[in-house]
Coordinates of all heavy atoms in Angstrom, one line a residue:
L36 N -200.4 3.5 93.7 CA -200.0 4.8 93.3 C -198.5 5.0 93.3 O -197.9 6.0 92.7 CB -200.6 5.9 94.2 CG -202.1 6.1 94.2 CD1 -202.5 6.9 95.4 CD2 -202.5 6.8 92.9
L37 N -197.7 4.0 93.9 CA -196.3 4.2 94.0 C -195.5 4.6 92.8 O -194.8 5.5 92.8 CB -195.7 2.8 94.6 CG -194.2 2.8 94.8 CD1 -193.7 3.8 95.7 CD2 -193.8 1.4 95.2
P38 N -195.7 3.9 91.6 CA -194.8 4.2 90.5 C -195.2 5.6 89.9 O -194.4 6.1 89.0 CB -195.1 3.1 89.5 CG -195.8 2.0 90.3 CD -196.5 2.7 91.4
F39 N -196.4 6.1 90.2 CA -196.8 7.3 89.6 C -196.7 8.6 90.4 O -196.4 9.7 89.9 CB -198.3 7.1 89.2 CG -198.6 5.8 88.4 CD1 -199.1 4.7 89.1 CD2 -198.2 5.7 87.1 CE1 -199.3 3.6 88.4 CE2 -198.4 4.5 86.4 CZ -199.0 3.4 87.1
V40 N -196.9 8.4 91.7 CA -196.8 9.6 92.6 C -195.4 9.9 93.0 O -195.0 11.0 93.1 CB -197.7 9.4 93.9 CG1 -197.5 10.5 94.9 CG2 -199.2 9.3 93.5
G41 N -194.6 8.8 93.1 CA -193.2 9.0 93.4 C -192.4 9.1 92.1 O -192.4 8.2 91.3
R42 N -191.6 10.2 92.0 CA -190.9 10.5 90.7 C -189.5 10.1 90.8 O -188.8 10.0 89.7 CB -191.0 12.0 90.4 CG -192.5 12.5 90.2 CD -193.1 11.8 89.0 NE -194.5 12.1 88.9 CZ -195.1 13.2 88.5 NH1 -194.3 14.2 88.0 NH2 -196.4 13.4 88.4
D43 N -188.9 9.9 91.9 CA -187.5 9.4 92.0 C -187.4 8.4 93.2 O -188.4 8.2 93.9 CB -186.5 10.6 92.2 CG -186.8 11.4 93.4 OD1 -187.2 10.9 94.5 OD2 -186.6 12.7 93.3
D44 N -186.2 7.9 93.4 CA -186.1 6.8 94.4 C -186.4 7.3 95.8 O -187.1 6.6 96.6 CB -184.6 6.3 94.3 CG -184.4 5.1 95.3 OD1 -185.1 4.1 95.2 OD2 -183.7 5.3 96.3
T45 N -186.0 8.5 96.1 CA -186.2 9.0 97.5 C -187.7 9.2 97.7 O -188.2 8.9 98.8 CB -185.5 10.3 97.7 OG1 -184.1 10.1 97.5 CG2 -185.7 10.8 99.1
E46 N -188.4 9.8 96.7 CA -189.8 10.0 96.9 C -190.6 8.6 97.0 O -191.5 8.5 97.8 CB -190.4 10.7 95.7 CG -190.0 12.2 95.7 CD -190.7 13.0 94.6 OE1 -191.3 12.4 93.7 OE2 -190.6 14.2 94.6
R47 N -190.1 7.6 96.3 CA -190.8 6.3 96.4 C -190.5 5.7 97.7 O -191.4 5.0 98.3 CB -190.3 5.5 95.2 CG -190.9 5.9 93.9 CD -190.5 5.1 92.7 NE -191.1 5.6 91.5 CZ -190.9 5.0 90.3 NH1 -190.1 4.0 90.1 NH2 -191.5 5.6 89.2
R48 N -189.3 5.9 98.3 CA -189.1 5.4 99.6 C -189.9 6.1 100.7 O -190.4 5.5 101.6 CB -187.6 5.6 100.0 CG -186.7 4.6 99.1 CD -185.3 4.6 99.7 NE -185.2 3.9 100.9 CZ -184.0 3.8 101.6 NH1 -182.9 4.4 101.2 NH2 -184.0 3.1 102.7
V49 N -190.2 7.4 100.5 CA -191.1 8.1 101.4 C -192.5 7.4 101.3 O -193.1 7.2 102.4 CB -191.2 9.6 100.9 CG1 -192.4 10.3 101.7 CG2 -189.9 10.3 101.2
I50 N -192.9 7.2 100.1 CA -194.3 6.6 99.9 C -194.3 5.2 100.6 O -195.3 4.9 101.3 CB -194.6 6.5 98.4 CG1 -194.8 7.9 97.9 CG2 -195.9 5.6 98.2 CD1 -194.9 8.0 96.4
I51 N -193.3 4.4 100.4 CA -193.3 3.0 100.9 C -193.2 3.1 102.4 O -193.9 2.3 103.1 CB -192.0 2.3 100.4 CG1 -192.2 1.9 98.9 CG2 -191.8 1.0 101.2 CD1 -191.0 1.4 98.2
N52 N -192.5 4.0 103.0 CA -192.4 4.1 104.5 C -193.7 4.7 105.1 O -193.7 4.6 106.4 CB -191.2 5.0 104.8 CG -189.9 4.1 104.8 OD1 -189.5 3.5 105.8 ND2 -189.3 4.1 103.7
T53 N -194.6 5.2 104.4 CA -195.9 5.5 105.0 C -196.7 4.3 105.4 O -197.5 4.3 106.3 CB -196.8 6.4 104.1 OG1 -197.1 5.7 102.9 CG2 -196.0 7.7 103.7
V54 N -196.5 3.2 104.7 CA -197.2 1.9 105.0 C -196.3 0.8 105.4 O -196.8 -0.2 106.0 CB -198.1 1.5 103.8 CG1 -199.1 2.6 103.5 CG2 -197.2 1.3 102.6
G55 N -195.0 0.9 105.2 CA -194.1 -0.2 105.4 C -194.2 -0.8 106.8 O -194.2 -2.0 107.0
P56 N -194.2 0.1 107.9 CA -194.2 -0.5 109.2 C -195.4 -1.2 109.7 O -195.4 -1.9 110.7 CB -194.0 0.8 110.1 CG -193.4 1.8 109.2 CD -194.1 1.5 107.9
H57 N -196.5 -1.1 109.0 CA -197.8 -1.7 109.5 C -198.6 -2.4 108.5 O -199.7 -2.9 108.8 CB -198.7 -0.6 110.1 CG -199.0 0.5 109.2 ND1 -199.9 0.4 108.1 CD2 -198.7 1.8 109.2 CE1 -200.0 1.5 107.5 NE2 -199.3 2.4 108.1
W58 N -198.1 -2.6 107.3 CA -199.0 -3.2 106.3 C -199.2 -4.7 106.7 O -200.3 -5.2 106.4 CB -198.3 -3.2 104.9 CG -197.1 -4.1 104.8 CD1 -195.8 -3.9 105.0 CD2 -197.2 -5.5 104.4 NE1 -195.1 -5.0 104.9 CE2 -195.9 -6.0 104.4 CE3 -198.2 -6.4 104.0 CZ2 -195.6 -7.3 104.1 CZ3 -197.9 -7.7 103.7 CH2 -196.6 -8.2 103.7
D59 N -198.2 -5.3 107.2 CA -198.4 -6.8 107.6 C -199.4 -6.9 108.8 O -200.1 -7.9 108.8 CB -197.1 -7.5 107.9 CG -196.2 -6.7 108.8 OD1 -196.5 -5.5 109.2 OD2 -195.1 -7.2 109.2
G60 N -199.4 -5.9 109.7 CA -200.4 -6.0 110.7 C -201.8 -5.8 110.2 O -202.8 -6.5 110.7
N61 N -202.0 -5.1 109.1 CA -203.3 -4.9 108.5 C -203.8 -6.2 107.8 O -205.0 -6.3 107.6 CB -203.3 -3.7 107.5 CG -203.2 -2.4 108.2 OD1 -203.5 -2.2 109.4 ND2 -202.6 -1.4 107.5
Q62 N -202.8 -7.0 107.5 CA -203.2 -8.3 106.9 C -204.1 -9.2 107.8 O -204.7 -10.1 107.4 CB -202.0 -9.1 106.5 CG -201.2 -8.5 105.3 CD -201.9 -8.8 104.0 OE1 -202.5 -7.8 103.4 NE2 -201.8 -10.0 103.5
V63 N -204.0 -8.8 109.1 CA -204.9 -9.6 110.1 C -206.3 -9.5 109.7 O -207.1 -10.5 109.8 CB -204.7 -8.9 111.5 CG1 -205.7 -9.5 112.5 CG2 -203.3 -9.2 112.0
W64 N -206.8 -8.4 109.1 CA -208.2 -8.3 108.7 C -208.5 -9.2 107.6 O -209.6 -9.8 107.6 CB -208.5 -6.8 108.3 CG -208.4 -5.9 109.5 CD1 -207.4 -5.1 109.9 CD2 -209.5 -5.6 110.4 NE1 -207.7 -4.4 111.0 CE2 -209.0 -4.6 111.3 CE3 -210.8 -6.0 110.5 CZ2 -209.8 -4.1 112.3 CZ3 -211.6 -5.5 111.5 CH2 -211.1 -4.6 112.4
F65 N -207.5 -9.4 106.7 CA -207.7 -10.3 105.5 C -207.8 -11.7 106.0 O -208.7 -12.5 105.7 CB -206.6 -10.1 104.6 CG -206.6 -11.0 103.3 CD1 -207.8 -11.0 102.6 CD2 -205.5 -11.7 103.0 CE1 -207.8 -11.8 101.4 CE2 -205.6 -12.5 101.8 CZ -206.7 -12.6 101.1
I66 N -206.8 -12.1 106.9 CA -206.8 -13.5 107.4 C -208.0 -13.8 108.3 O -208.6 -14.9 108.2 CB -205.5 -13.7 108.2 CG1 -204.2 -13.5 107.3 CG2 -205.4 -15.0 108.9 CD1 -202.9 -13.4 108.0
T67 N -208.4 -12.8 109.1 CA -209.5 -13.0 110.0 C -210.8 -13.1 109.2 O -211.7 -14.0 109.5 CB -209.6 -11.9 111.0 OG1 -208.4 -11.8 111.7 CG2 -210.7 -12.1 112.0
G68 N -210.9 -12.3 108.1 CA -212.1 -12.4 107.3 C -212.2 -13.7 106.6 O -213.3 -14.4 106.6
G69 N -211.1 -14.2 106.0 CA -211.1 -15.5 105.4 C -211.4 -16.6 106.4 O -212.2 -17.6 106.1
G70 N -210.8 -16.5 107.6 CA -211.1 -17.5 108.6 C -212.5 -17.5 109.1 O -213.1 -18.6 109.4
A71 N -213.1 -16.3 109.2 CA -214.5 -16.2 109.6 C -215.5 -16.8 108.6 O -216.4 -17.5 109.0 CB -214.9 -14.8 109.9
I72 N -215.2 -16.6 107.3 CA -216.0 -17.2 106.3 C -215.9 -18.7 106.3 O -216.9 -19.5 106.2 CB -215.6 -16.7 104.9 CG1 -216.0 -15.2 104.8 CG2 -216.3 -17.5 103.8 CD1 -215.5 -14.5 103.5
F73 N -214.7 -19.2 106.5 CA -214.5 -20.7 106.6 C -215.2 -21.3 107.8 O -215.9 -22.3 107.6 CB -213.0 -20.9 106.8 CG -212.7 -22.4 107.1 CD1 -212.7 -23.4 106.1 CD2 -212.3 -22.7 108.4 CE1 -212.4 -24.7 106.5 CE2 -212.0 -24.0 108.7 CZ -212.1 -25.0 107.8
A74 N -215.2 -20.6 108.9 CA -215.8 -21.2 110.1 C -217.3 -20.9 110.2 O -218.1 -21.8 110.6 CB -215.1 -20.6 111.4
A75 N -217.8 -19.8 109.8 CA -219.2 -19.4 109.9 C -220.0 -19.9 108.7 O -221.1 -20.3 108.9 CB -219.4 -17.9 110.1
W76 N -219.4 -19.8 107.5 CA -220.1 -20.2 106.3 C -219.3 -21.2 105.5 O -218.8 -20.9 104.4 CB -220.3 -19.0 105.4 CG -221.2 -17.9 106.0 CD1 -222.1 -18.0 107.0 CD2 -221.2 -16.5 105.6 NE1 -222.6 -16.8 107.3 CE2 -222.1 -15.8 106.4 CE3 -220.5 -15.8 104.6 CZ2 -222.4 -14.5 106.2 CZ3 -220.8 -14.4 104.4 CH2 -221.7 -13.8 105.3
P77 N -219.2 -22.4 106.0 CA -218.3 -23.4 105.4 C -218.7 -23.8 103.9 O -217.8 -24.0 103.1 CB -218.4 -24.7 106.3 CG -219.6 -24.5 107.1 CD -219.8 -23.0 107.2
L78 N -220.0 -23.8 103.6 CA -220.4 -24.1 102.3 C -220.1 -23.0 101.3 O -219.7 -23.2 100.2 CB -221.9 -24.4 102.2 CG -222.4 -25.7 102.7 CD1 -223.9 -25.8 102.7 CD2 -221.9 -26.8 101.9
V79 N -220.2 -21.7 101.8 CA -219.8 -20.6 101.0 C -218.3 -20.6 100.7 O -217.8 -20.4 99.5 CB -220.1 -19.3 101.7 CG1 -219.6 -18.1 100.9 CG2 -221.6 -19.1 101.8
Y80 N -217.5 -20.9 101.7 CA -216.1 -21.0 101.6 C -215.7 -22.0 100.6 O -214.9 -21.8 99.6 CB -215.4 -21.3 102.9 CG -213.9 -21.3 102.9 CD1 -213.2 -20.1 103.2 CD2 -213.2 -22.4 102.7 CE1 -211.8 -20.1 103.3 CE2 -211.8 -22.5 102.7 CZ -211.1 -21.3 103.0 OH -209.8 -21.3 103.0
A81 N -216.2 -23.2 100.7 CA -215.8 -24.3 99.8 C -216.3 -24.1 98.4 O -215.5 -24.3 97.4 CB -216.4 -25.6 100.3
T82 N -217.5 -23.6 98.2 CA -218.0 -23.4 96.9 C -217.4 -22.2 96.2 O -217.0 -22.3 95.0 CB -219.6 -23.1 97.0 OG1 -220.2 -24.2 97.7 CG2 -220.2 -23.0 95.6
A83 N -217.2 -21.1 96.9 CA -216.5 -19.9 96.3 C -215.1 -20.2 95.9 O -214.7 -19.8 94.8 CB -216.6 -18.7 97.3
F84 N -214.4 -20.8 96.8 CA -212.9 -21.1 96.5 C -212.8 -22.1 95.4 O -211.7 -22.1 94.7 CB -212.2 -21.5 97.8 CG -211.7 -20.3 98.6 CD1 -212.7 -19.5 99.2 CD2 -210.4 -19.9 98.6 CE1 -212.3 -18.4 100.0 CE2 -210.0 -18.8 99.4 CZ -210.9 -18.0 100.1
S85 N -213.8 -23.0 95.2 CA -213.7 -23.9 94.1 C -214.0 -23.2 92.8 O -213.3 -23.3 91.8 CB -214.7 -25.0 94.3 OG -214.3 -25.8 95.4
G86 N -215.1 -22.4 92.8 CA -215.5 -21.7 91.6 C -214.6 -20.6 91.2 O -214.3 -20.4 90.0
F87 N -214.1 -19.9 92.1 CA -213.2 -18.7 91.9 C -211.7 -19.2 92.0 O -210.9 -18.3 92.4 CB -213.5 -17.5 92.8 CG -214.8 -17.0 92.6 CD1 -215.6 -16.5 93.7 CD2 -215.4 -16.9 91.3 CE1 -216.8 -15.9 93.5 CE2 -216.7 -16.4 91.1 CZ -217.4 -15.9 92.2
Y88 N -211.4 -20.4 91.8 CA -210.1 -21.0 92.1 C -209.0 -20.2 91.4 O -208.0 -19.7 92.1 CB -210.0 -22.4 91.6 CG -208.7 -23.1 91.9 CD1 -208.4 -23.5 93.2 CD2 -207.8 -23.3 90.9 CE1 -207.2 -24.1 93.5 CE2 -206.5 -23.9 91.2 CZ -206.3 -24.3 92.5 OH -205.1 -24.9 92.8
W89 N -209.0 -20.0 90.1 CA -208.0 -19.3 89.4 C -207.9 -17.8 89.8 O -206.9 -17.2 89.8 CB -208.1 -19.4 87.9 CG -207.8 -20.8 87.5 CD1 -208.6 -21.8 87.0 CD2 -206.5 -21.4 87.5 NE1 -208.0 -23.0 86.7 CE2 -206.6 -22.8 87.0 CE3 -205.2 -21.0 87.8 CZ2 -205.6 -23.7 86.9 CZ3 -204.1 -21.9 87.7 CH2 -204.3 -23.2 87.2
A90 N -209.1 -17.2 90.0 CA -209.1 -15.8 90.5 C -208.5 -15.7 91.8 O -207.7 -14.7 92.1 CB -210.6 -15.3 90.5
M91 N -208.7 -16.6 92.8 CA -208.1 -16.5 94.1 C -206.6 -16.8 94.0 O -205.8 -16.1 94.7 CB -208.7 -17.6 95.0 CG -210.2 -17.3 95.4 SD -210.4 -15.7 96.3 CE -211.1 -14.7 95.0
L92 N -206.2 -17.7 93.1 CA -204.7 -17.9 92.9 C -204.1 -16.6 92.4 O -203.0 -16.3 92.8 CB -204.5 -19.0 91.9 CG -204.5 -20.4 92.5 CD1 -204.1 -21.4 91.4 CD2 -203.5 -20.5 93.7
A93 N -204.8 -15.9 91.5 CA -204.2 -14.7 90.9 C -204.0 -13.6 92.1 O -203.0 -12.9 92.1 CB -205.1 -14.1 89.9
V94 N -205.0 -13.6 93.0 CA -204.9 -12.7 94.2 C -203.6 -13.1 95.0 O -202.8 -12.2 95.4 CB -206.1 -12.7 95.0 CG1 -205.9 -12.0 96.4 CG2 -207.3 -12.1 94.3
L95 N -203.5 -14.4 95.3 CA -202.3 -14.8 96.1 C -201.0 -14.5 95.4 O -200.1 -14.1 96.0 CB -202.5 -16.3 96.4 CG -203.6 -16.7 97.3 CD1 -203.7 -18.2 97.5 CD2 -203.4 -16.0 98.7
W96 N -201.0 -14.8 94.1 CA -199.7 -14.5 93.3 C -199.4 -13.1 93.4 O -198.2 -12.7 93.5 CB -199.9 -15.0 91.9 CG -199.9 -16.5 91.7 CD1 -199.3 -17.4 92.5 CD2 -200.5 -17.2 90.7 NE1 -199.6 -18.7 92.1 CE2 -200.3 -18.6 90.9 CE3 -201.3 -16.8 89.5 CZ2 -200.8 -19.6 90.1 CZ3 -201.8 -17.8 88.7 CH2 -201.5 -19.2 89.0
A97 N -200.4 -12.2 93.3 CA -200.1 -10.8 93.4 C -199.7 -10.4 94.8 O -198.7 -9.6 94.9 CB -201.4 -10.0 93.0

Side-chain angles (χ1 to χ4, degrees):
L36 292 167
L37 174 62
F39 310 103
V40 175
R42 299 296 171 80
D43 57 37
D44 182 64
T45 302
E46 288 187 350
R47 290 180 179 180
R48 291 191 73 183
V49 168
I50 293 169
I51 291 171
N52 277 270
T53 63
V54 295
H57 57 69
W58 74 269
D59 47 354
N61 290 335
Q62 290 285 103
V63 169
W64 292 94
F65 181 52
I66 296 168
T67 305
I72 293 173
F73 170 77
W76 299 339
L78 283 176
V79 173
Y80 183 92
T82 305
F84 275 70
S85 297
F87 297 145
Y88 181 77
W89 288 108
M91 292 298 103
L92 275 184
V94 169
L95 291 176
W96 289 334

